[in-house]
Amino acid sequence: MPGIDVIIPTYKPNKEFIRLIEGLQTQTVVPNKIILMNTEKELITPFLEESGILRKYHNIEIHHILREEFDHGRTRHEGVQYSYLPYFLCMTQDALPQNEQLIEKLLKAMDQEKVAVAYARQLPRPESNILEEYTRYFNYPEKSRVKSAKDLSELGIKTYFCSNVCAIYDRQIYDRLGGFIRHTIFNEDMIYAATAIKAGLRVAYQADARVIHSHHYTGRQQFSRNFDLGVSQADHPEVFQGIPSEKEGKRLVAQMLRVLWEKRKLLWIVPFVYQTGCKLIGYRLGKAYKKLPKAVIKASSMNGNYWKF
């Protein structure tokens, strides 16, 4: 199989990050390099020294940046420049391979014609509640699919869906398309996927490549995350204009309410409605952020360092 490097932005990694490194080192296709794009050197050095992984493994490469230098697109793009192999895998520090075939399965997806990027299925953590569990199932179903421009009428915005929580890229295509956008608050993966699809290429969802990854966001965190999502869409009308996201949101709400009713989890309806409201308000404010005062924008965003007024 072809060689592959892994690129992971890091910030204050914890013990779970060590499990990620161990999980990558035991893959059937072991990464040539694990490239860490780390924010704030002093926050990671003692942790890594104490963990012993740098002594145990010699394929880990660390590059440090300042917190104010981090950008979802640019930082990952800079990480790609340290890789010289045909494929690279983007991951986040809180994702865990479910088994040893993660990279092998993703590479298999790249064998399909005109596939520019393939992303993995995300499974909820064991401690996840029913809301997070079903949301993961909704966004990452059991069946694999390869998406192209012909799917826009059926899938809408989901055609462009892709996640750098765990996604593999063809380096030659990446360079030809110009790579990740260099300045974005969010959605560098979807913007790239949209660029690829508009260039006549395809995006693969590989359901048998699985990572464990989920969050238990509070209503406030859901608000901020969706505010940033709205900002991203407002800033990139060339990608998102004319393809409303609300349709998918409504479908999720309808299906979640049905699941809660069928499973007799009626007490979860109130927190679900609350979280849905936080998401919707955050998203719509983010879409209209250019009309908001600067103080409100910064207070609403999950990525405060992005804003340089």
Side-chain angles (χ1 to χ4, degrees):
M1 282 199 171
I4 185 170
D5 291 325
V6 180
I7 298 161
I8 308 173
T10 55
Y11 177 65
K12 293 184 179 180
N14 56 23
K15 290 182 180 179
E16 189 173 77
F17 173 72
I18 303 302
R19 291 176 60 198
L20 166 58
I21 297 297
E22 296 280 3
L24 291 173
Q25 303 290 3
T26 56
Q27 291 288 301
T28 54
V29 178
V30 179
N32 175 59
K33 289 194 296 185
I34 299 174
I35 300 165
L36 307 183
M37 298 301 293
N38 178 64
T39 302
E40 305 291 10
K41 181 177 181 179
E42 66 274 11
L43 299 178
I44 194 175
T45 302
F47 171 76
L48 292 182
E49 289 176 351
E50 183 180 342
S51 72
I53 63 167
L54 297 182
R55 295 189 298 273
K56 186 175 181 180
Y57 302 113
H58 302 288
N59 61 345
I60 301 173
E61 184 176 299
I62 309 174
H63 301 275
H64 298 289
I65 62 172
L66 299 175
R67 189 171 182 179
E68 57 268 23
E69 294 174 331
F70 176 81
D71 182 274
H72 282 279
R74 185 180 65 247
T75 300
R76 286 180 170 88
H77 178 74
E78 289 172 353
V80 175
Q81 306 316 302
Y82 296 111
S83 174
Y84 303 96
L85 295 180
Y87 299 98
F88 64 89
L89 174 65
C90 284
M91 293 191 73
T92 55
Q93 69 180 40
D94 58 348
L96 297 173
Q98 192 207 34
N99 57 40
E100 292 79 18
Q101 287 83 44
L102 172 67
I103 295 178
E104 180 182 337
K105 298 291 187 182
L106 286 171
L107 282 168
K108 182 180 177 182
M110 303 304 286
D111 289 338
Q112 300 170 95
E113 186 180 3
K114 292 186 176 181
V115 169
V117 53
Y119 64 100
R121 185 182 186 192
Q122 296 181 32
L123 301 175
R125 301 178 189 279
E127 67 274 15
S128 295
N129 62 45
I130 189 171
L131 303 184
E132 182 61 27
E133 184 178 319
Y134 186 76
T135 300
R136 280 288 174 268
Y137 176 80
F138 180 85
N139 288 324
Y140 302 93
E142 296 178 351
K143 188 177 179 181
S144 298
R145 181 163 187 166
V146 180
K147 301 176 291 185
S148 66
K150 68 181 182 181
D151 295 305
L152 279 166
S153 59
E154 176 193 351
L155 298 179
I157 197 70
K158 273 287 185 72
T159 309
Y160 299 150
F161 187 74
C162 181
S163 176
N164 271 342
V165 165
C166 187
I168 189 172
Y169 293 81
D170 181 304
R171 177 61 188 272
Q172 189 175 35
I173 293 175
Y174 178 88
D175 288 340
R176 189 168 82 236
L177 295 179
F180 297 128
I181 188 168
R182 305 301 191 269
H183 186 54
T184 182
I185 193 168
F186 202 48
N187 267 346
E188 81 292 336
D189 36 23
M190 283 187 68
I191 294 168
Y192 179 86
T195 302
I197 285 174
K198 290 181 178 185
L201 300 167
R202 304 198 296 167
V203 172
Y205 166 57
Q206 192 73 352
D208 61 356
R210 299 183 292 268
V211 292
I212 299 170
H213 178 263
S214 59
H215 295 286
H216 180 56
Y217 285 134
T218 64
R220 177 67 174 83
Q221 289 170 322
Q222 295 281 18
F223 168 88
S224 294
R225 188 177 189 278
N226 280 268
F227 180 86
D228 289 352
L229 175 63
V231 169
S232 171
Q233 294 193 10
D235 282 348
H236 297 283
E238 75 283 0
V239 174
F240 300 105
Q241 193 169 37
I243 310 177
S245 300
E246 288 90 340
K247 181 181 177 181
E248 275 299 293
K250 291 176 182 177
R251 194 164 70 89
L252 172 59
V253 169
Q255 291 191 18
M256 181 70 80
L257 290 173
R258 188 184 74 244
V259 167
L260 294 175
W261 177 263
E262 290 174 351
K263 292 182 178 292
R264 296 297 183 263
K265 301 284 187 179
L266 304 185
L267 292 178
W268 282 100
I269 292 178
V270 172
F272 173 63
V273 170
Y274 166 68
Q275 288 196 12
T276 300
C278 291
K279 290 179 182 179
L280 181 61
I281 294 169
Y283 172 72
R284 290 191 171 171
L285 282 177
K287 288 271 283 187
Y289 84 94
K290 294 176 183 178
K291 300 177 182 178
L292 300 177
K294 295 176 182 178
V296 173
I297 293 172
K298 199 152 188 176
S300 299
S301 177
M302 188 174 272
N303 296 280
N305 288 328
Y306 173 82
W307 303 98
K308 298 177 177 64
F309 298 111

